Amino acid sequence: MESVGKQSDGNRKRGQLKIYLGMAAGVGKTYSMLSDARNDLARGYEVVIGYLEAHGRVETEELAVGMEKLPLREQDYRGVTVREFDLDGALARSPEFLLVDELAHTNADGSRHSKRWQDVAELLAAGINVRTTVNIQHLESLRDVVAQVTGVFVQETVPDSFLDSADEVELVDLPPEELHKRLQEGKVYVPEKIEQAMGGFFKKSNLLALRELSLRHTAERVDAQMREARTYQRVTESWHARERILVCIAPNRMAPRVVRAAKRLAANLHADLIAATVDSPRQSGLNERSRAQLDAALTLAETLGARTVSLAGEDIVEEVLRYSRAENITTIVVGKPIRKRWKQFVAGSMVDALIRESGEIDILVITGAEEHGTDLFVRRKQEPTPLKNYAVTLAAVLGATGLGQLMFPLFDSANIVMVYLLVVAAISISFGRNESALAAVLSVALFDFCFVHPTGTFAVSDAQYLVTFGIMLLVSLLISSMNLRLKSHSLSISKRERDTAALYELSRQLASSRKKEEMADVAARHVADLAGCHVGIYSKDEAGKPILIGSSEGADPTGEKELGVVGWVLDNGQAAGSGTDTLAGSEGFYLPLTNPNGCFGAIGLTPKVGTALEIPNRHLLESVANQLATSLDRAQLAKASHESSVNVEREKLRSNLLSSVSHDLRTPLASIEGAASGLAEQSDLSERSRTLALTVVEESQRMGRLVRDLLDMSRFEGGGVTLNLDWQSLEELIGSAIERTRRLLPESIITEIPSTLPPIMVDGVFVEQVFVNLLENAVAHGGKDVHVWVKASLTGDSIVIAFSDDGKGLPAGEEQAIFEKFRKRGGSGFGLGLAICQAVMTSHGGTIRAQNREGGGAEFILTFPLSNSENP
């Protein structure tokens, strides 16, 4: 199996996807893609070829000469070495633009994904821009239409939803006559295949139909973009009520065709599409493989962008119409009946019943040959009936015959018939269809042999007994059928009741759990009971790697290979493993746990030793996963809310304490500073005493600045600051700040302030303090010999001021962290200076950011917007 490559950060921006769409091979999709790549290279973009299929076309190969190509991954497939696109190599190289030809290609067994479009989806999730090519016949919803037009049922398809997600689709169009000319010139296929192609897939009628499909699809995309633009520009006008289409999925061969037809109809009508299946006693004859194939049809609908629902009821028609009316469905799409006419007459037709009972809802019946599409309906292979059952049935009928012999002289023969019917009913309740049929036939035969004149033979003297025998057999079979149907319905109800009870018990236990480990263990035990396998619940550690947070009893530790699959699910938010198209060689099946912020966990099912993995009802498993994800998300939010409340209370207490202490310290500090200043001015003071007095003055001033910073910070956080806005000259504010720090930077400040700068509407006191803090910060971390440059300029509708120095610079990666409160980089102080700068700039609607200066030192860039004021 291909190894699981390292994935990008989940928060990384998704790459851009451009698709070159054509009607058929040879129209020039790859050539156009390479031509655009050449132009991008000339403009300085990084473009790399991930996979290129030139089909021996010289002009295409010449365009690729000189471009960087990623090595292909060689893989052994059935004794043959095949060369496939190297997904892990592309992720490791991570170019700006990657060219990946043949989007609809099916990867060799053992690849991470079964389809190349899934490789491209992973590249996009990793932030890589991808350009790729595809023909219109590979679009999933058009599969049946292309088969009808060309006679070729395309096996390699791309989901419509993936094509719809492309950021740009470029139609590469070519008239059929021009394509025929290219064919004859040998520019599409080798000479020996030209005649076969011209008379087959490339017939002019086929090309015209394919061209119409490609043009129509492109036009629909343009129309959708137009409607999106009208919405964005708030264009208002009357619109018709939105169409809602329900497609009914039955376990038969027409299911894929019906789903694709419904998708095309929904796309043309811009309607919502819902796919529904009904779990009823009619489907009791389906085996597990048939149910898995029915799930595959629902998965196809989901791939095409439909919402899927699973209904339950004894009457399929009644259940479909009830749901349709509740959901305001306008059109129901069903497949044409494929049973013989006489079978429809006997058992009834769901389509006929829908048409009769639908009322205002339109019914669209999709026709088509039964052999088209995938065979989704496989009848349950009948298990051989134990001989014991037949023996009990024979004994019961013989017992009824013996009882009839005792009754024969005393009772009318009609009473004996009732005894036989009672036995048939008992057999149908206790056993299956075969035993019931045997009991019905034996009852009629023995009644004729033992109780109808002449007795002892199967001859009948009175013709009216033939009617009796017929009615007796028919009633016996009807009783048997009704009992069997009731038993099947009871089993279906019992199963749904068990599923509902399991979900209720799970939700109850999850609601009573508080820690995520407890929730994970609860969910793992419930899923293990439902699926009969080992279950593990995974999350991410701080490094983003998968860790096991809960498991069922006896669960084996997940190996390195399986952890790689779990890591892929966590990084991509998609199901993977056994039974999927991604990493299908894995032993387990893994389903993502998601919330609005993305994938944060996964639930994994692995087989017990000596058993095979059987996935239970996919929708039930998804319901469990959704419940677990919601509970884990709730627990995380509750924890975050509690921590936030604690932090708010802590910050409030600290702010109140700082404000109180700051107010209480200002008065004694002013007294200390005044007394020390007066003492230092005494003429009869010794030099040593004068020095000590000046030291007291300087330290008092420093302490006063610290107290001022504490008070300012608490006022900003508490919302107690009212800005005194007025027109201020930037040159004067900077000059005043330099004057206040002259004792620290006597001759080392260089200013470049244009005289043409307009005045700004600010609080002069606070903004000047910002400048002072930045100058003092330069001295504190660069020393008294540091040089400082102050430059101001007008950029657009903002004034930008840069304070630069040639000091030590900022620690790498801490350019934003230095603005946090109490963040110190050595020296004295509380680490509030830069936090106050950011608070002042934010209150003025401006910004401040820090970066390391080229050549050494730090640089702080302040931006004051002018958009909210005009020059006086």
Side-chain angles (χ1 to χ4, degrees), residues 327 460 749:
E327 293 293 323
V460 178
I749 299 181

Side-chain angles (χ1 to χ4, degrees), residues 126-139:
I128 301 174
N129 301 311
V130 179
R131 289 176 176 172
T132 184
T133 63
V134 70
N135 287 326
I136 191 66
Q137 67 261 28
H138 295 294
L139 197 59

Side-chain angles (χ1 to χ4, degrees), residues 400-420:
T401 302
L403 180 60
Q405 290 288 353
L406 296 176
M407 297 171 58
F408 187 62
L410 304 174
F411 297 91
D412 188 72
S413 60
N415 295 296
I416 301 175
V417 170
M418 293 299 104
V419 173
Y420 280 115

Side-chain angles (χ1 to χ4, degrees), residues 142-360:
L142 298 177
R143 195 178 188 185
D144 300 305
V145 176
V146 172
Q148 184 179 6
V149 171
T150 65
V152 177
F153 196 77
V154 179
Q155 298 298 327
E156 295 181 327
T157 60
V158 177
D160 294 51
S161 56
F162 185 79
L163 201 70
D164 294 340
S165 70
D167 299 280
E168 182 180 355
V169 175
E170 180 176 319
L171 177 64
V172 183
D173 187 39
L174 196 68
E177 296 80 9
E178 187 66 26
L179 182 55
H180 279 175
K181 182 179 178 182
R182 289 175 56 82
L183 274 168
Q184 293 167 352
E185 292 174 351
K187 294 182 179 180
V188 180
Y189 291 127
V190 293
E192 53 268 23
K193 290 187 177 181
I194 294 176
E195 185 175 350
Q196 178 184 356
M198 294 279 287
F201 190 86
F202 284 83
K203 289 190 299 185
K204 185 174 181 180
S205 58
N206 289 352
L207 294 180
L208 286 172
L210 292 172
R211 190 185 189 196
E212 180 184 359
L213 288 174
S214 61
L215 289 170
R216 180 181 297 173
H217 181 83
T218 307
E220 290 171 356
R221 180 179 175 87
V222 172
D223 180 64
Q225 292 173 343
M226 180 273 296
R227 289 185 289 106
E228 183 179 351
R230 291 171 64 86
T231 302
Y232 177 77
Q233 296 172 8
R234 299 182 180 179
V235 177
T236 58
E237 63 179 74
S238 177
W239 292 90
H240 295 292
R242 187 171 182 83
E243 294 281 336
R244 293 173 65 83
I245 297 175
L246 178 72
V247 53
C248 297
I249 299 179
N252 59 44
R253 298 175 184 174
M254 287 191 65
R257 181 183 182 89
V258 173
V259 170
R260 297 187 189 103
K263 168 61 182 176
R264 292 195 299 272
L265 178 64
N268 291 334
L269 298 178
H270 311 299
D272 297 329
L273 179 61
I274 303 173
T277 182
V278 182
D279 185 10
S280 74
R282 289 192 182 187
Q283 295 184 0
S284 62
L286 298 179
N287 59 20
E288 293 300 324
R289 176 168 170 258
S290 301
R291 293 190 179 279
Q293 291 178 322
L294 186 60
D295 287 340
L298 289 171
T299 302
L300 171 63
E302 291 175 348
T303 303
L304 294 175
R307 176 164 66 91
T308 59
V309 295
S310 180
L311 309 176
E314 183 174 358
D315 191 324
I316 296 178
V317 173
E318 180 182 350
E319 189 64 26
V320 168
L321 291 177
R322 184 197 62 78
Y323 178 81
S324 299
R325 293 188 175 103
E327 293 293 323
N328 195 27
I329 299 297
T330 58
T331 304
I332 298 176
V333 179
V334 295
K336 182 184 71 174
I338 59 177
R339 289 188 296 184
K340 301 296 184 182
R341 190 67 185 174
W342 68 269
K343 289 185 177 181
Q344 295 182 43
F345 178 78
V346 173
S349 170
M350 190 192 80
V351 175
D352 291 342
L354 268 178
I355 295 174
R356 286 194 306 270
E357 304 294 334
S358 60
E360 72 284 355

Side-chain angles (χ1 to χ4, degrees), residues 517 520 535-539 545-551 555-558 563 602:
E517 290 80 8
V535 178
I537 310 296
Y538 303 87
S539 183
K545 295 183 179 180
I547 56 172
L548 185 68
I549 61 172
S551 62
D556 298 326
T558 305
L563 281 178

Side-chain angles (χ1 to χ4, degrees), residues 157 182 212 293 360 396 403 427 441 559 613 657 659 672 754 794:
T157 60
R182 289 175 56 82
E212 180 184 359
Q293 291 178 322
E360 72 284 355
L403 180 60
I427 292 297
V441 173
L613 180 64
L657 179 61
S659 178
I672 293 172
L794 180 62

